[in-house]
Amino acid sequence: MPERPFAPSDKLKRLIDCDNALLLVMNRFGISLGFGEKTVEAVCSEQEIDRDTFLAVANYICGRDWRIEDISLPSIISYLKKAHSYFLDFMLPTIRRRLIEAIDCSGGDNIALLIIKFYDEYVTEVRSHMEYEDTTVFPYVEG
């Protein structure tokens, strides 16, 4: 049975205590650290963040109940664009560097090169998908 959904009256630090992956969610919504004992309601209000969209994403990430009708389309699209940027500009290049460090590319073994080639092709597909969303899907939804 899932725990109760996060609510506007919950302290923001409680959400992080439940799942530190919400630090990434906070970053994508533009919530800066230093909120102390403030509630979700107070922080979202102060930082002009759509509270219901933030709570829907936080509850979804943590496997709790959430309501789709409470989501603001501009807020969720902004969140998704920032998530795309995080993956394309930081996470995927970091994974590639770690992959190269982990495999032996110095020998005559083509397996290492095939692994890198496979990863690069995967990244190309991910990039293509995310760019399609950014240039086609999101503008359509916004319209």
Side-chain angles (χ1 to χ4, degrees):
M1 177 175 183
E3 295 183 52
R4 76 163 178 79
F6 297 125
S9 59
D10 287 334
K11 293 187 179 196
L12 197 52
K13 71 178 193 172
R14 175 178 174 267
L15 277 67
I16 298 168
D17 287 342
C18 290
D19 189 339
N20 61 15
L22 292 179
L23 286 168
L24 290 172
V25 171
M26 290 172 41
N27 179 269
R28 291 175 191 148
F29 273 99
I31 297 174
S32 54
L33 297 177
F35 42 77
E37 295 292 317
K38 293 179 182 173
T39 63
V40 170
E41 177 77 46
V43 171
C44 287
S45 177
E46 288 171 7
Q47 299 189 23
E48 298 180 356
I49 295 160
D50 185 82
R51 179 201 69 199
D52 293 334
T53 304
F54 171 75
L55 283 171
V57 172
N59 282 310
Y60 172 76
I61 296 291
C62 292
R64 296 165 186 242
D65 289 334
W66 57 283
R67 296 171 35 141
I68 195 164
E69 56 269 3
D70 294 336
I71 291 177
S72 155
L73 282 176
S75 293
I76 198 69
I77 288 172
S78 173
Y79 170 84
L80 291 171
K81 286 179 179 179
K82 289 175 184 170
H84 286 179
S85 177
Y86 172 75
F87 281 103
L88 295 175
D89 301 335
F90 175 73
M91 206 58 213
L92 293 173
T94 299
I95 292 171
R96 188 177 197 279
R97 279 192 302 277
R98 290 183 180 168
L99 188 59
I100 288 170
E101 291 169 3
I103 59 177
D104 181 13
C105 296
S106 64
D109 188 4
N110 288 336
I111 297 295
L113 295 175
L114 287 173
I115 291 170
I116 298 298
K117 181 179 181 229
F118 176 79
Y119 181 77
D120 288 344
E121 290 171 357
Y122 166 77
V123 169
T124 298
E125 289 295 318
V126 170
R127 182 173 302 281
S128 174
H129 171 83
M130 290 184 177
E131 287 174 352
Y132 175 77
E133 287 182 351
D134 288 342
T135 61
T136 305
V137 175
F138 295 156
Y140 176 79
V141 171
E142 289 170 328

